[in-house]
Amino acid sequence: MLIPREGKGIHFQSLEISRPVPPPLPVRRGVWENEKLLEGAAGVAVSSDKLDADYIKRYLGDLTPLQESCLIRLRRWLQETHKGKIPKDEHILRFLRARDFNIDKAREILCQSLTWRKQHQVDYLLDTWSSPHVLHDYYTGGWHHHDKDGRPLYILRLGHMDTKGLVRALGEESLLRHVLSINEEGLRRCEENTKVFGRPISCWTCLVDLEGLNMRHLWRPGVKALLRIIEVVEANYPETLGRLLILRAPRVFPVLWTLVSPFIDENTRKKFLIYAGNDYQGPGGLVDYIDKEIIPDFLGGECMCEVPEGGLVPKSLYRTAEELENDEIRLWTETIYQSASIFKGAPHELLIEIIDASSVITWDFDVCKGDVIFNIYHSKRAPQPPRKDPLATHGITSPAGNNVQLIDKSWLLGQDYSMVESPLTCKEGESVQGSHVTRWPGFYILQWKFHSMPACATTNLPRVDDVLATLQVSSHKCKVMYYTEVLGSEDFRGSMTSLESSHSGFSQLSAATTSSSQSQSNSMISR
């Protein structure tokens, strides 16, 4: 989801650069301009003390004398501190508007953003970023004409998007770069539309279709990736969202809103228009903001939309934590997944210390290879330091540090530790999400154990496949990728109970939508 903010935006152009850009990067696009006099719409020079009225009308929009003064003062300060290379007026104005023309506050966030752009080479993004094929096929978003105000229109079919599959196939890094490229492309389209319509077009409209949104979209690592993307966009693309149209909002939407709304600026939230069911088709709906001729076919219109329909990302495209780690220059985060190998006789175990009772342990893991049994145990005393790679002494090599055993062989179940969840058998290729509300403080151990195939019930003779399998070390190895998090019970939003408790603020919305899914058990498997 794109959550930038409205305003009079940057117009990214080819720039004159005072010193050559080092190869292999191309000439960068960005927020900078040389300190020469800026040419207005009618070729009238704009001095450093006063802005030409035609230039303001043509490129910046309405400005009060006080706002114009703030822009000039902040630009002058940047000229003195940036050695002749300053951001464009549109870009400076964007940050001034974001801070209600408080120069000190605007200067602080603007300088932080300019540093961020330089550090991560964002000015080069449109020329250097090439979207992976999985994004072309499964990222359900794209540009689609413009709204009635001339603003570029971006459509996101979030309900059809496999957020987990995209995170697992691409990693948070690639998703962030893709969202940044969308914002950069939006600014470029604003510049083009400014030329076409002859007036400032500095923000865009985003239409988000939530048909199909359900609890699987509240997969916590995916929500966490979304929140970080929102944080980056809010900090560096203020005042670029003109309007956000949320269509076909289901009953699960309040849960998502509860999670993301604290990260969205209050002024941005005022630009959200939410429609439940088919309300968008009536008065005050889409036709008030978008010409009837370009309403997409999947929303009841006649215009063909090239936004991909999405669907589940094949698990064959999922990548390991190591592959994501070594993929490309990292922008902003470490991967949240860990991988582990499980051998016959050597389970992988994860220790979680709980201080406050009634905490919630949440987990999400995929069985990449083999079948495993998942257990949760509790102990009042801490286990001994972990033992790693016990099979190495037998000449069997496993990736370093991805198999840990905590439960000592001398420990007795029911005496030294106890089982707090029924064992869960998980087949290869399954994705498992769940949670456990802790009853006692102490040490909880999450265990993934090798699951042996049962013996054939009809005969005592071994099968040929079983005999061959015993000769291969790989048949005794399973692999999982997992993510865990401990939450306070008051912060947990991953259940239908939490959904029901969130309805009060959206009573009208919830009443107008279809009923939600039935309550799910603590551990659910999505195939």
Side-chain angles (χ1 to χ4, degrees):
M1 183 187 293
L2 300 176
I3 313 289
R5 294 183 283 187
E6 181 185 0
K8 311 304 179 184
I10 328 170
H11 303 299
F12 284 72
Q13 300 174 335
S14 297
L15 306 173
E16 296 183 17
I17 299 180
S18 58
R19 60 179 182 275
V21 178
L25 295 174
V27 175
R28 66 177 180 177
R29 308 170 187 267
V31 301
W32 305 99
E33 66 190 9
N34 288 335
E35 193 188 359
K36 65 180 183 178
L37 296 181
L38 184 62
E39 295 299 322
V44 180
V46 182
S47 73
S48 60
D49 296 325
K50 184 173 177 59
L51 301 179
D52 182 80
D54 290 339
Y55 165 72
I56 294 176
K57 181 179 180 180
R58 180 68 173 81
Y59 292 104
L60 304 181
D62 296 329
L63 289 179
T64 67
L66 177 60
Q67 292 172 344
E68 180 182 347
S69 174
C70 290
L71 173 58
I72 293 173
R73 288 162 57 194
L74 183 52
R75 184 177 68 177
R76 184 179 296 118
W77 180 85
L78 289 168
Q79 287 173 336
E80 296 172 355
T81 57
H82 284 73
K83 299 180 180 179
K85 187 166 290 187
I86 63 171
K88 297 179 182 180
D89 286 342
E90 300 95 312
H91 192 57
I92 300 173
L93 192 59
R94 186 185 309 278
F95 286 83
L96 282 168
R97 286 198 169 103
R99 290 299 180 267
D100 297 322
F101 287 86
N102 183 309
I103 292 182
D104 291 335
K105 293 181 179 179
R107 178 171 56 197
E108 180 181 359
I109 61 172
L110 173 58
C111 290
Q112 291 174 355
S113 179
L114 295 179
T115 300
W116 170 83
R117 294 185 69 90
K118 180 179 180 180
Q119 179 182 359
H120 301 303
Q121 300 179 335
V122 178
D123 291 331
Y124 304 102
L125 192 59
L126 288 180
D127 293 320
T128 59
W129 168 249
S130 178
S131 299
H133 288 297
V134 67
L135 283 174
H136 290 289
D137 296 334
Y138 297 100
Y139 189 88
T140 55
W143 295 101
H144 181 76
H145 300 283
H146 56 78
D147 68 5
K148 288 187 174 181
D149 295 321
R151 297 166 172 170
L153 175 63
Y154 190 85
I155 294 180
L156 183 67
R157 303 183 70 178
L158 185 60
H160 286 219
M161 186 181 295
D162 180 11
T163 52
K164 176 179 178 178
L166 288 174
V167 172
R168 292 296 310 277
L170 296 171
E172 296 175 356
E173 209 66 36
S174 292
L175 281 178
L176 173 63
R177 289 196 177 195
H178 185 60
V179 172
L180 294 181
S181 71
I182 292 171
N183 281 269
E184 295 291 305
E185 173 66 16
L187 293 171
R188 188 188 66 79
R189 287 173 177 260
C190 285
E191 179 184 358
E192 291 180 351
N193 287 14
T194 295
K195 297 176 182 178
V196 171
F197 292 99
R199 63 178 187 274
I201 304 293
S202 53
C203 53
W204 53 81
T205 292
C206 186
L207 186 156
V208 181
D209 179 22
L210 295 184
E211 182 191 43
L213 189 79
N214 55 44
M215 291 300 294
R216 68 182 174 85
H217 289 92
L218 301 185
W219 175 63
R220 189 163 295 277
V223 172
K224 179 175 287 188
L226 171 62
L227 295 181
R228 290 190 176 182
I229 289 174
I230 291 174
E231 184 179 20
V232 172
V233 172
E234 284 276 274
N236 299 285
Y237 298 91
E239 299 296 318
T240 56
L241 181 68
R243 184 179 295 115
L244 181 66
L245 303 169
I246 299 177
L247 274 53
R248 301 196 276 195
R251 291 186 68 194
V252 75
F253 174 69
V255 178
L256 181 62
W257 181 255
T258 299
L259 293 171
V260 304
S261 60
F263 292 81
I264 303 173
D265 182 81
E266 182 179 356
N267 291 331
T268 304
R269 293 199 296 266
K270 295 177 181 178
K271 300 162 189 171
F272 285 31
L273 298 175
I274 303 172
Y275 300 88
N278 294 322
D279 292 348
Y280 69 92
Q281 296 178 347
L286 277 187
V287 292
D288 283 14
Y289 307 104
I290 301 173
D291 289 330
K292 183 178 180 180
E293 293 77 16
I294 67 167
I295 293 179
D297 52 345
F298 60 85
L299 293 176
E302 299 180 356
C303 185
M304 295 298 295
C305 184
E306 297 181 357
V307 174
E309 294 185 1
L312 294 177
V313 177
K315 285 187 169 61
S316 60
L317 299 179
Y318 284 15
R319 303 168 68 191
T320 66
E322 291 83 0
E323 289 173 332
L324 294 175
E325 182 75 23
N326 298 324
D327 181 24
E328 56 186 10
I329 299 175
R330 309 195 63 79
L331 278 180
W332 56 290
T333 186
E334 298 277 333
T335 178
I336 59 176
Y337 271 93
Q338 300 183 58
S339 61
S341 296
I342 298 106
F343 299 88
K344 191 171 184 179
H348 178 73
E349 294 163 345
L350 177 69
L351 181 66
I352 298 177
E353 183 178 3
I354 297 296
I355 305 299
D356 299 322
S358 298
S359 297
V360 182
I361 301 174
T362 65
W363 59 81
D364 178 280
F365 64 89
D366 288 82
V367 185
C368 304
K369 180 179 181 181
D371 299 341
V372 300
I373 299 175
F374 178 64
N375 288 297
I376 305 179
Y377 301 102
H378 172 264
S379 176
K380 294 182 179 178
R381 60 191 178 105
Q384 296 297 316
R387 294 174 286 118
K388 298 184 178 182
D389 293 281
L391 298 182
T393 56
H394 301 284
I396 300 176
T397 302
S398 65
N402 70 350
N403 181 274
V404 177
Q405 296 179 60
L406 298 167
I407 299 176
D408 193 276
K409 294 188 180 297
S410 63
W411 279 22
L412 297 176
L413 183 62
Q415 178 176 326
D416 299 291
Y417 66 110
S418 59
M419 182 179 294
V420 297
E421 288 271 359
S422 300
L424 183 66
T425 301
C426 310
K427 300 295 185 180
E428 180 175 319
E430 288 182 346
S431 298
V432 182
Q433 303 87 35
S435 60
H436 174 77
V437 180
T438 61
R439 297 178 58 188
W440 315 281
F443 300 90
Y444 287 78
I445 300 173
L446 276 57
Q447 181 193 75
W448 292 268
K449 184 170 61 174
F450 184 93
H451 177 55
S452 301
M453 297 297 295
C456 182
T458 59
T459 177
N460 292 327
L461 296 175
R463 298 183 304 165
V464 174
D465 290 343
D466 293 337
V467 174
L468 294 176
T470 61
L471 301 178
Q472 301 177 13
V473 173
S474 60
S475 67
H476 294 271
K477 177 181 177 181
C478 300
K479 188 170 185 179
V480 296
M481 288 186 64
Y482 63 90
Y483 166 82
T484 64
E485 187 175 13
V486 178
L487 304 170
S489 57
E490 67 277 7
D491 297 326
F492 184 57
R493 295 290 186 273
S495 66
M496 293 305 295
T497 302
S498 300
L499 171 60
E500 296 298 330
S501 67
S502 301
H503 280 174
S504 58
F506 293 82
S507 55
Q508 294 181 348
L509 171 63
S510 301
T513 55
T514 56
S515 60
S516 61
S517 305
Q518 295 180 349
S519 297
Q520 304 176 22
S521 61
N522 273 356
S523 296
M524 61 180 181
I525 301 177
S526 59
R527 295 179 173 86

